[in-house]
Amino acid sequence: DFCAQFRTVHVDPLEQKWIKIALLIIALLVGIIAIDAFFHGINPPSKVETIDSARLHLSKEFAESNLGVQLDDKGAIVVRMVAGRYSFFPKHISVPAETKLTFRWVSMDVLHGVHIPMTNMSTMIVPGYVAEITTSFPKPGEYPVLCNEYCGLGHNHMWSNISVIA
Ligand code: CUA
């Protein structure tokens, strides 16, 4: 059999030792991954949430009445917005300046991106996933919300507006 064949081949003892060490390291790494997958489930690195993009209107969180600026039960501000060809919904929101805001974005159709100049807000909005970004606006004013992933013929006109209030 295969093992018997292997035994008849002369392998230097030092090399045998290193083969064993290499196999041990591989077993250890596979074991760590297996144990982690078992206890934590297999997730993408950022632990992104999934969502059914075709049924957003039925989803509790992203139902139309739930979009825009809301306070969560801990008093934090959460902004929920939906990206779709060719706008962000709601089209216009107002938020306070110098305040931590948690944005949660979903797409209802294709891949979009969101970019708010002069902030750290820049992410892809991948259908099927919730994109969450925390940011704040240091200065009051009018901020554009732009799509920065090509999403079709209306891509250049896909934008929305945020009023930041002192
Ligand atoms: Cu949406 Cu480009």
Side-chain angles (χ1 to χ4, degrees):
D1 66 322
F2 176 79
C3 289
Q5 270 183 355
F6 187 73
R7 259 178 252 120
T8 61
V9 178
H10 175 75
V11 180
D12 186 83
L14 185 65
E15 204 177 337
Q16 281 185 18
K17 193 178 154 194
W18 279 106
I19 289 172
K20 281 178 194 156
I21 290 173
L23 289 176
L24 212 72
I25 291 171
I26 291 169
L28 190 74
L29 293 178
V30 170
I32 289 171
I33 293 168
I35 289 167
D36 190 56
F38 180 77
F39 285 106
H40 301 126
I42 294 176
N43 274 299
S46 62
K47 197 124 190 162
V48 289
E49 295 166 60
T50 55
I51 194 160
D52 184 350
S53 284
R55 310 177 119 247
L56 288 179
H57 56 296
L58 301 174
S59 123
K60 214 170 162 192
E61 183 177 359
F62 290 95
E64 203 172 343
S65 58
N66 221 10
L67 298 181
V69 185
Q70 305 226 333
L71 284 178
D72 72 5
D73 33 329
K74 288 172 201 133
I77 299 178
V78 181
V79 183
R80 292 185 182 82
M81 291 184 81
V82 172
R85 287 183 290 191
Y86 293 100
S87 186
F88 295 97
F89 305 97
K91 187 84 180 149
H92 177 255
I93 58 167
S94 299
V95 295
E98 293 177 84
T99 307
K100 188 181 150 194
L101 308 165
T102 301
F103 279 84
R104 288 171 63 76
W105 307 89
V106 289
S107 165
M108 64 179 186
D109 40 40
V110 298
L111 175 71
H112 296 282
V114 57
H115 173 57
I116 305 178
M118 294 170 287
T119 71
N120 68 345
M121 177 69 73
S122 185
T123 184
M124 288 201 292
I125 307 172
V126 184
Y129 295 91
V130 179
E132 183 175 304
I133 288 208
T134 301
T135 192
S136 64
F137 294 88
K139 285 191 188 134
E142 295 297 315
Y143 288 76
V145 180
L146 309 169
C147 180
N148 64 357
E149 293 284 344
Y150 182 77
C151 51
L153 289 176
H155 165 71
N156 290 343
H157 306 287
M158 180 164 171
W159 54 273
S160 171
N161 230 19
I162 297 183
S163 300
V164 177
I165 295 158

